[in-house]
Amino acid sequence: MDMKTPLSLALVFVSVFAVYCFDRALSTTVTYDHRALVIDGKRRVLQSGSIHYPRSTPEVWPELIRKSKEGGLDVIETYVFWNCHEPVRGEYYFEGRFDLVKFVRTVQEAGLMVHLRIGPYACAEWNYGGFPLWLHFIPGIQFRTTNDLFKKEMLRFLAKIVGLMKEEKLFASQGGPIILAQVENEYELVEWAYGVAGELYVSWAAEAAISLNTTVPWVMCRQEDAPDPIINTCNGFYCDQFTPNSPSKPKMWTENYSGWFKSFGYPIPHRPVEDLAFAVARFFEMGGTFHNYYMYFGGTNFGRTAGGPLVATSYDYDAPIDEYGFIRQPKWGHLRDLHLAIKHCEEYLIRSDPTHQQLGHNLEAHIYYKSSNKCAAFLANYDSELDANVTFNGNLYFLPAWSVSILPDCKNVIFNTAKVVSQRILAHTTTANKLILSATSWSWYMEKPGVWGNNSFTESRLLEQINTTKDTSDYLWYTTSINIMPGQSKEVFLLIKSLGHAALIFVNKRLVAFGYGNHDDASFSINEKISLVEGNNTLDILSMMVGLQNFGPWFDVQGAGIFSVVLIDPWNNNYDVSAEEWTYQVGLEGEYLGLDKVIHANSSLWIKGSVPPINKTLIWYKVSFLAPQSNGPLALNLTSMGKGQAWVNGQSIGRYWPAYLSPSEGCTENCDYRGEYDSTKCQKNCGQPAQTLYHVPRSWVHPGQNLLVLHEELGGDPTKISVLTQTGQEICSFVSEDDPQPADFWIPNMGFRSRSPEARLTCEQGWHIASINFASFGSPQGNCGALSVGTCHADILSMVQKACIGEEQCSVPVSTANLGDPCPGVLKTLAIEAICSD
């Protein structure tokens, strides 16, 4: 039986995708024409993927970039985050996760190119869209319009970043990897709100960018009126119909959403790989030459970097590489095969514009000619329901609905977007080391509701929260007194209105209500019947932010916090408390005391007992733990907690909110990829939290004891928290005799080196196949994770075990010559399930 590991094939594959390994001593010119970017005089077809450096750690950047390159990418795209690099005006920070130069150089060392999206507006579901909040407090400033104060600050930061890249010799003309730069970001979506001033701002931004002389092209994404020579590019789920605003500009796609972001209280978005691959193939079919996945690796919104409102800490994005840095299958593998199929067509794609040929209703071909008798073709069925058989160049082809077939020689199909032959990973069967944190090892500190320090202040009005806290904390206390005279009703309704995002209400130091908004509308009202006492009563409101707004016209002035407090007695008499005297306190007492800091781990403030209090509001918890053994990342399972923030060894892993459940309806167990996708189409986890596992980078823990601190706002049970690390996974391959041969079997001008498709199993680097749980050739029944033999069955278990166990990767040709023929004349499938382990 001809079984082999695909290591040699992988080496060939990598060499196919090896793009310009920029030597720092060599100068590279980057220009463009109507077809493509032109690098050193040659048009290029480029695959790109977004990786945001602050959403991971420097220790894993090389691994993420390696997996991106092996997945077929040529370019890494990233935003630059102004608020992280200039947290205080004139004081710059480029260390740790924010070491932009190190990140760009890491990409260069891998032999990939960089698209640097300087902005400086990013959006990106990042706090305040990437703008530093001090910008907001410059008197007279208006963001993203023809405001001289804003333009001065924006140009200063653009020049800072461009100057830094030049100083480090990172632009292509200096031998560096940066081939593209971006100014502004999706301004077209809000330009209408700024009127003529918006149009003038676009022209100014373009001129400002060009004046910085980067020597590489600039782009404006989603900006139809981008002036020459700025390239306007497309963002969206589909960009095949996009046309640049000038016949001299190439068709480029800067954001193809691989999934969507998570928000607290929402289901988890999922984009099927069949649809994602269809969108990519259609784009190149219709003349595109530069394409970028947003995101290829999403990562984590550590600390308080998540935008808002209510964007979750996980920025996984259903990307080809998951939040923890593991390859997500079959998405990564199917797209890798797609990229290779398109690369096989590159010499045709750069030579000509496509020739269109209608093949039937919702059926068409686009052909790229290298010469009169040499061509590559894309055959598309864009019907959302009906499969079809089409005739092209005298040959018959089967096209599933909503799919594209790629023919690098106008004859042989080497890839179809709907036929997924890449292995799958069964997420629910991944193996992990699990550490339950002992109930007897916890310490705690209880906060009291209301003003806690001598730095409080009073105002006879309700203050907007962001202008008050300046985003130094998520929290602002609003405290006032309510005096009930003899004879007045003690039973009243308390009506509170907030611009967002959440609030705890205490009357006489007792919790009476909790209110909150959602990502689409952060505002909320609380209408609660309360009991007061004769004389003085205290009303304490803890207003909580969950990420500053990052998108929309004038988003920078959108407010938060309490704006109305009214008491309503049984006779509907209203008593407006809003204009009474209020005492304010920014932040929590525990923040002021530094309870999240390692240096205070042994403070006498912490109380230790046999069992910690549970289901308490405004409580801090602390525990020491040994990290589970592994080289991989960790996850905290916080399902048992309510809402709050968490720190490991003083590093903030972000906000958590597992108590906020998504609606019980709106999800589908078996999503049909056919037809246009949007972020609500294939949702998962209805009725469940958006996030229960919280990423802890391995570099943030160390041998021996590690410190976990949590601030719990609502109430939870810390004794049920566990620490996890992944040590293995179950993988599955399901390939039929009529599936396409692997794209890397194609040899230009020669054809396939083998006529058989192939089942491939690959573990994460460093893991090996430990066991084969199932192997059948014939008519296996069920799906991955629940397979059984069918009426037609060849028992090949021992053969697969011999070829695969102990290997990091192995492959099995799917043919009767290798596997026998248990049922002649019947189309057969090979199904294998295996366990990878470290």
Side-chain angles (χ1 to χ4, degrees):
M1 185 170 82
D2 180 19
M3 296 188 181
K4 52 193 175 294
T5 74
L7 180 59
S8 59
L9 302 180
L11 293 174
V12 172
F13 174 77
V14 170
S15 70
V16 170
F17 282 101
V19 295
Y20 288 79
C21 296
F22 293 99
D23 187 310
R24 293 180 187 176
L26 298 178
S27 173
T28 298
T29 61
V30 185
T31 58
Y32 65 83
D33 63 18
H34 81 288
R35 283 296 297 130
L37 291 179
V38 180
I39 300 177
D40 279 343
K42 183 178 181 180
R43 291 175 177 168
R44 296 301 309 275
V45 171
L46 299 173
Q47 301 288 354
S48 174
S50 292
I51 298 177
H52 297 157
Y53 51 100
R55 284 176 159 141
S56 58
T57 58
E59 291 78 10
V60 300
W61 289 345
E63 181 76 357
L64 297 174
I65 294 164
R66 176 186 67 81
K67 290 176 177 177
S68 301
K69 182 176 181 178
E70 291 177 359
L73 298 192
D74 309 291
V75 181
I76 300 297
E77 184 178 282
T78 186
Y79 284 119
V80 177
F81 298 91
W82 189 358
N83 54 5
C84 298
H85 293 307
E86 195 178 6
V88 177
R89 190 178 188 277
E91 297 181 13
Y92 296 99
Y93 185 77
F94 291 94
E95 305 297 327
R97 291 187 291 120
F98 307 105
D99 192 339
L100 174 60
V101 169
K102 182 175 182 178
F103 179 77
V104 173
R105 282 184 172 153
T106 303
V107 176
Q108 180 179 24
E109 288 162 4
L112 299 184
M113 295 172 272
V114 172
H115 176 197
L116 195 65
R117 308 177 78 184
I118 306 174
Y121 170 66
C123 185
E125 293 71 57
W126 190 266
N127 197 51
Y128 212 43
F131 285 138
L133 198 69
W134 56 258
L135 201 66
H136 171 75
F137 293 100
I138 296 176
I141 199 168
Q142 291 182 325
F143 289 14
R144 305 178 78 195
T145 186
T146 51
N147 176 275
D148 288 341
L149 295 168
F150 177 76
K151 291 192 294 184
K152 177 183 176 182
E153 296 298 327
M154 175 174 162
L155 181 57
R156 185 175 60 83
F157 184 73
L158 285 172
K160 173 68 178 180
I161 298 302
V162 169
L164 179 62
M165 297 300 105
K166 286 182 178 180
E167 181 182 323
E168 299 292 336
K169 299 189 182 337
L170 293 174
F171 284 107
S173 61
Q174 302 172 293
I178 301 173
I179 61 164
L180 281 172
Q182 179 177 302
V183 64
E184 250 298 333
N185 188 64
E186 297 189 323
Y187 189 72
E188 176 184 290
L189 297 177
V190 299
E191 187 174 342
W192 58 271
Y194 300 87
V196 174
E199 297 175 16
L200 294 173
Y201 168 67
V202 171
S203 296
W204 171 85
E207 292 170 3
I210 296 301
S211 73
L212 295 172
N213 191 29
T214 61
T215 68
V216 300
W218 284 88
V219 305
M220 281 184 166
C221 69
R222 207 158 183 175
Q223 194 61 51
E224 188 174 350
D225 60 348
D228 294 344
I230 306 289
I231 306 170
N232 67 306
T233 66
C234 185
N235 290 358
F237 289 113
Y238 307 94
C239 281
D240 50 286
Q241 300 300 317
F242 169 75
T243 301
N245 64 11
S246 166
S248 65
K249 298 176 183 179
K251 182 171 179 172
M252 298 175 62
W253 191 356
T254 38
E255 291 189 15
N256 178 8
Y257 308 119
S258 57
W260 201 244
F261 60 90
K262 297 178 183 177
S263 298
F264 292 124
Y266 284 59
I268 296 175
H270 166 65
R271 188 178 187 187
V273 69
E274 296 93 335
D275 175 71
L276 182 56
F278 172 77
V280 175
R282 285 287 280 170
F283 176 71
F284 285 96
E285 174 191 352
M286 305 281 280
T289 51
F290 180 98
H291 159 259
N292 177 77
Y293 295 100
Y294 189 98
M295 302 290 296
Y296 199 77
F297 162 79
T300 307
N301 293 315
F302 297 114
R304 297 169 54 245
T305 59
L310 283 76
V311 172
T313 297
S314 170
Y315 202 66
D316 179 85
Y317 226 90
D318 197 30
I321 302 174
D322 75 15
E323 178 184 3
Y324 295 86
F326 294 111
I327 287 173
R328 172 175 277 119
Q329 297 283 26
K331 185 167 278 188
W332 183 91
H334 194 53
L335 296 177
R336 173 204 57 199
D337 295 345
L338 168 63
H339 303 154
L340 183 51
I342 292 170
K343 283 291 182 185
H344 281 311
C345 301
E346 179 171 12
E347 290 302 313
Y348 300 89
L349 294 173
I350 63 175
R351 291 294 182 91
S352 67
D353 294 319
T355 299
H356 175 260
Q357 182 178 333
Q358 198 68 34
L359 301 177
H361 180 64
N362 291 337
L363 301 164
E364 64 185 3
H366 284 84
I367 306 104
Y368 290 86
Y369 288 95
K370 188 175 181 181
S371 62
S372 59
N373 60 349
K374 289 187 176 182
C375 62
F378 295 75
L379 311 184
N381 178 355
Y382 51 95
D383 195 287
S384 61
E385 296 181 357
L386 301 177
D387 299 339
N389 289 298
V390 301
T391 300
F392 174 72
N393 280 359
N395 296 310
L396 188 65
Y397 298 90
F398 174 68
L399 288 177
W402 206 252
S403 79
V404 176
S405 286
I406 299 176
L407 293 65
D409 62 350
C410 280
K411 180 179 179 182
N412 289 284
V413 175
I414 65 169
F415 185 85
N416 178 271
T417 59
K419 292 189 175 183
V420 181
V421 297
S422 298
Q423 73 178 34
R424 289 162 166 78
I425 294 175
L426 283 64
H428 62 279
T429 59
T430 55
T431 56
N433 285 334
K434 181 177 181 179
L435 172 68
I436 304 293
L437 303 181
S438 170
T440 60
S441 58
W442 287 90
S443 301
W444 62 92
Y445 177 82
M446 293 284 296
E447 291 210 21
K448 294 174 182 172
V451 171
W452 48 263
N454 58 14
N455 56 349
S456 60
F457 59 95
T458 60
E459 291 279 351
S460 295
R461 59 192 177 100
L462 291 171
L463 298 180
E464 190 279 325
Q465 184 163 350
I466 299 171
N467 285 306
T468 306
T469 66
K470 296 179 171 58
D471 199 36
T472 57
S473 170
D474 279 354
Y475 308 99
L476 178 63
W477 281 106
Y478 295 72
T479 294
T480 194
S481 296
I482 301 170
N483 190 37
I484 298 297
M485 303 295 291
Q488 282 187 304
S489 174
K490 301 182 184 71
E491 304 292 321
V492 297
F493 280 93
L494 176 62
L495 177 60
I496 295 175
K497 295 181 180 180
S498 173
L499 295 172
H501 303 154
L504 287 165
I505 315 299
F506 299 86
V507 173
N508 294 326
K509 307 303 178 182
R510 183 177 64 86
L511 179 66
V512 297
F514 174 57
Y516 50 91
N518 59 54
H519 172 69
D520 293 304
D521 182 5
S523 66
F524 62 92
S525 298
I526 296 173
N527 192 355
E528 188 75 19
K529 187 176 183 180
I530 61 173
S531 297
L532 302 175
V533 298
E534 190 173 299
N536 193 50
N537 297 264
T538 60
L539 173 62
D540 299 300
I541 304 172
L542 181 61
S543 181
M544 299 177 282
M545 298 286 296
V546 191
L548 296 185
Q549 181 63 261
N550 58 260
F551 175 75
W554 308 106
F555 78 86
D556 51 296
V557 294
Q558 291 188 28
I562 309 301
F563 69 90
S564 175
V565 180
V566 177
L567 297 176
I568 305 173
D569 68 18
W571 302 278
N572 286 326
N573 295 311
N574 291 353
Y575 173 38
D576 192 342
V577 189
S578 306
E580 296 298 319
E581 183 175 276
W582 290 84
T583 302
Y584 294 91
Q585 182 91 63
V586 175
L588 300 170
E589 183 185 22
E591 290 180 309
Y592 178 79
L593 295 172
L595 295 182
D596 56 304
K597 305 292 192 297
V598 175
I599 58 173
H600 294 138
N602 297 317
S603 169
S604 60
L605 294 169
W606 292 104
I607 300 170
K608 185 171 177 59
S610 58
V611 179
I614 64 172
N615 299 322
K616 300 291 184 181
T617 59
L618 302 184
I619 184 170
W620 293 75
Y621 293 109
K622 172 182 77 77
V623 71
S624 293
F625 68 95
L626 291 170
Q629 289 188 349
S630 172
N631 293 323
L634 308 175
L636 279 181
N637 188 332
L638 299 180
T639 306
S640 64
M641 303 304 289
K643 177 182 183 295
Q645 297 183 45
W647 296 261
V648 171
N649 293 329
Q651 297 269 18
S652 174
I653 65 170
R655 304 180 182 98
Y656 64 84
W657 198 349
Y660 197 169
L661 304 183
S662 66
S664 58
E665 297 181 348
C667 294
T668 177
E669 193 166 322
N670 297 306
C671 177
D672 187 350
Y673 69 86
R674 300 175 302 175
E676 287 201 0
Y677 175 83
D678 63 53
S679 62
T680 65
K681 180 178 178 181
C682 295
Q683 298 178 129
K684 299 179 177 180
N685 280 44
C686 282
Q688 302 295 319
Q691 185 177 359
T692 57
L693 298 179
Y694 290 79
H695 177 205
V696 182
R698 176 60 64 167
S699 59
W700 288 7
V701 299
H702 45 251
Q705 295 295 320
N706 295 274
L707 177 67
L708 169 63
V709 175
L710 302 103
H711 175 251
E712 174 56 48
E713 301 164 8
L714 302 181
D717 186 351
T719 66
K720 295 179 180 176
I721 293 174
S722 57
V723 185
L724 308 169
T725 184
Q726 189 171 329
T727 58
Q729 58 191 186
E730 186 171 358
I731 60 178
C732 170
S733 185
F734 204 89
V735 182
S736 296
E737 289 179 293
D738 66 341
D739 282 328
Q741 297 93 324
D744 56 15
F745 277 12
W746 180 257
I747 302 173
N749 302 316
M750 295 179 63
F752 289 108
R753 62 180 180 81
S754 170
R755 301 306 300 182
S756 300
E758 193 170 78
R760 294 176 173 179
L761 300 174
T762 303
C763 300
E764 286 283 337
Q765 191 174 68
W767 293 359
H768 296 84
I769 298 171
S771 64
I772 304 295
N773 294 349
F774 181 90
S776 176
F777 181 58
S779 57
Q781 302 297 302
N783 298 309
C784 291
L787 290 170
S788 60
V789 299
T791 54
C792 173
H793 166 63
D795 185 358
I796 58 167
L797 180 62
S798 61
M799 293 189 292
V800 176
Q801 288 174 330
K802 183 178 179 181
C804 295
I805 288 180
E807 301 292 337
E808 190 171 283
Q809 53 188 342
C810 66
S811 59
V812 181
V814 182
S815 70
T816 55
N818 288 289
L819 304 175
D821 194 348
C823 43
V826 175
L827 181 67
K828 289 166 282 293
T829 295
L830 172 62
I832 305 172
E833 284 184 2
I835 295 289
C836 290
S837 174
D838 64 356

